[in-house]
Amino acid sequence: MITEEFYTMRAPRRAGAWRMLDEPVRVLVVAIAAAFAAGSLLWTLITGFVEGQTALAFGVLIALGELARITLPGNREVAPVASAGAIGYTFLLTLGGDTVHHSAWQVLAVVTVGFALGELPHIAAGRSPEWSDVARRMLVIVAITLAFRPFVDALSPGSTHWQWWPALLLMAALVLVGWLTDAVTAAAVRAERLRTRITVAFRDELRAHAGLGMAIGASGILIALASTITGLSGLLVFTAPLLVTQVAFRRFAEVRLTYLQTVRALSRVTEVGGYVAPGHSRRVSRLAKSVGCELGMRESDLLELEYAALMHDIGQLSLRDPVAGGATVFALPREQRRIAELGSAVIRETGVLDSVAELVRRQCEPSMGDGDDGPPPLGSRVIKVANAVDDLAGESADPERVQAVLERLRMDGFGEYDPDVVEAAARAIERAAARW
């Protein structure tokens, strides 16, 4: 059966080796991070901890930061305070004027324990983390630590001819390298999960992490430099600004989530009123997003596409007589345009979704356009194909019917459907069927 889960952007959770085959990049990232974590713990247990009070203070900060992790748009889990604390411990040269001597492996061991303790309450409450995101946070610290700690003796204020600026430049450079490494890793995992182009995923990750990533890196450097004079009290002083930033990002994520929930609720009005088949809007939205990923659309464009696909039939609420079965693909072109125009007008009333309203308004136009405005936006062409597939196939359990629908769209001789979008839809459906 072609249910709404059939078109989900993520494969159904599989156990064991099947999931490893589905997401090898994700498994590799988690495995590498786990290897460094286990190795650092074993090495530190054998050689022993040094300066236990400092390690404990930073470990507690990291654990609390991991406990307060947040989920940003795009299902990205971040722990700004934990990451800043880990970077601060990595860059720590002196504490209150006294030179510190912890090794790179002790840093990784403290970070591992802090991450684990911070995640335990979440796991106990049934909120298991996205392990690839935890692994990425760990790998960033691995890269920075292994590149910085070997040079601590030369950078320490107690060394001969010491100057502060080489240490600061190295810290800033490593933060930038760590941020870029994280973006590349996140892009690889995201491209694998969404089946989109890695270049598109990389640009999305750079935009998503730019502001917060720089704030985390700067806070980590400030914690390390401030602790040189203030001691452990610097942890509290320079963590506070990051907490304010985290609260702002959390509110932003909540607003985005509320927006999406509101749009989803609004899209169900047509189903409750009997204007369209149950689940139609959600199935069209899921297929449209999958097709958008196949075509390499940016994350921001995918979000607008999701909104537009959810509300593409909302104009039917203004009809006196509902379209038979809610399938607008069978309606006359004039009626289709009227539904699109009415839906667009409703969406424009929000005052903040004008681009979404434009996608809805032009969803029924031929692929090459029919006026002076030129071809409709890619999102409109995607919605047109996704809507036609669901109108014609519905929840059919017969794969041959789905293929027949796709073949019908391919054979369209009037230029109604974009051939590239139709082929992308075929690939998305085939991939979803293979995962299912």
Side-chain angles (χ1 to χ4, degrees):
M1 176 179 291
I2 303 180
T3 63
E4 62 181 274
E5 286 79 12
F6 181 87
Y7 295 128
T8 185
M9 295 178 69
R10 298 189 65 171
R13 294 284 184 178
R14 297 186 183 185
W18 285 110
R19 190 175 180 197
M20 293 176 65
L21 293 175
D22 280 345
E23 302 179 356
V25 174
R26 175 183 179 277
V27 173
L28 179 62
V29 169
V30 174
I32 294 175
F36 274 107
S40 64
L41 283 174
L42 181 61
W43 180 267
T44 307
L45 288 175
I46 293 175
T47 60
F49 279 86
V50 298
E51 294 143 358
Q53 185 177 2
T54 303
L56 178 61
F58 277 92
V60 169
L61 176 64
I62 294 169
L64 292 176
E66 192 67 22
L67 179 63
R69 61 174 166 82
I70 58 177
T71 302
L72 297 179
N75 293 321
R76 297 179 176 88
E77 287 184 355
V78 295
V81 174
S83 297
I87 293 174
Y89 190 47
T90 297
F91 290 155
L92 192 64
L93 297 174
T94 63
L95 187 67
D98 298 326
T99 303
V100 296
H101 303 91
H102 56 266
S103 66
W105 297 108
Q106 178 168 317
V107 172
L108 299 181
V110 170
V111 172
T112 298
V113 173
F115 281 175
L117 292 178
E119 288 295 348
L120 283 178
H122 289 290
I123 296 174
R127 299 188 300 269
S128 295
E130 178 52 58
W131 292 111
S132 60
D133 290 340
V134 179
R136 282 175 32 233
R137 292 197 287 275
M138 183 69 187
L139 290 179
V140 169
I141 305 305
V142 168
I144 295 176
T145 301
L146 295 183
F148 183 82
R149 294 310 298 180
F151 301 100
V152 166
D153 291 338
L155 297 171
S156 176
S159 62
T160 307
H161 305 301
W162 179 82
Q163 290 182 312
W164 64 268
W165 62 267
L168 182 59
L169 287 178
L170 180 59
M171 291 177 185
L174 289 178
V175 164
L176 181 60
V177 170
W179 174 58
L180 291 175
T181 301
D182 184 51
V184 171
T185 307
V189 173
R190 187 176 183 82
E192 177 185 66
R193 175 165 59 91
L194 301 184
R195 304 301 192 269
T196 190
R197 301 171 190 168
I198 191 169
T199 53
V200 175
F202 180 64
R203 289 197 298 268
D204 287 338
E205 293 302 325
L206 286 180
R207 284 190 290 266
H209 291 96
L212 189 58
M214 292 298 99
I216 291 172
S219 297
I221 294 175
L222 286 174
I223 289 173
L225 295 180
S227 299
T228 299
I229 300 174
T230 64
L232 293 178
S233 60
L235 294 179
L236 299 177
V237 175
F238 288 93
T239 301
L242 192 59
L243 286 173
V244 175
T245 303
Q246 178 169 326
V247 170
F249 273 92
R250 184 188 295 274
R251 290 184 177 178
F252 169 71
E254 291 173 350
V255 169
R256 287 280 296 271
L257 180 60
T258 302
Y259 246 77
L260 183 57
Q261 291 173 340
T262 301
V263 170
R264 285 175 176 169
L266 186 61
S267 70
R268 297 200 62 186
V269 174
T270 52
E271 299 177 21
V272 174
Y275 288 88
V276 299
H280 169 72
S281 297
R282 282 166 289 170
R283 291 194 301 272
V284 171
S285 173
R286 302 263 178 133
L287 177 56
K289 287 199 301 184
S290 296
V291 173
C293 288
E294 289 284 344
L295 295 171
M297 295 178 68
R298 297 183 307 172
E299 184 177 357
S300 57
D301 294 334
L302 285 174
L303 183 62
E304 291 183 352
L305 176 61
E306 181 179 11
Y307 287 168
L310 283 170
M311 297 188 291
H312 76 282
D313 271 336
I314 201 170
Q316 292 200 46
L317 295 174
S318 302
L319 300 179
R320 290 184 178 181
D321 299 318
V323 176
T328 54
V329 72
F330 297 121
L332 295 173
R334 183 179 65 248
E335 195 71 6
Q336 292 181 17
R337 289 168 187 262
R338 181 166 173 257
I339 292 171
E341 291 285 353
L342 291 171
S344 176
V346 171
I347 297 172
R348 288 188 191 279
E349 289 297 320
T350 64
V352 293
L353 296 174
D354 288 349
S355 56
V356 174
E358 184 66 10
L359 293 181
V360 172
R361 184 181 72 86
R362 305 192 64 185
Q363 64 175 306
C364 59
E365 295 182 13
S367 61
M368 298 305 295
D370 60 356
D372 297 333
D373 294 336
L378 177 59
S380 298
R381 286 175 273 152
V382 170
I383 294 173
K384 186 179 182 71
V385 170
N387 178 67
V389 169
D390 197 76
D391 277 349
L392 296 172
E395 291 187 317
S396 173
D398 185 4
E400 293 184 1
R401 180 175 177 181
V402 178
Q403 292 304 316
V405 169
L406 292 171
E407 193 61 30
R408 174 176 173 176
L409 299 185
R410 289 189 182 105
M411 295 176 64
D412 164 52
F414 300 98
E416 287 292 318
Y417 303 100
D418 187 326
D420 293 334
V421 175
V422 174
E423 294 306 319
R427 293 194 300 271
I429 293 174
E430 181 181 1
R431 182 174 289 117
R435 292 200 304 261
W436 200 261

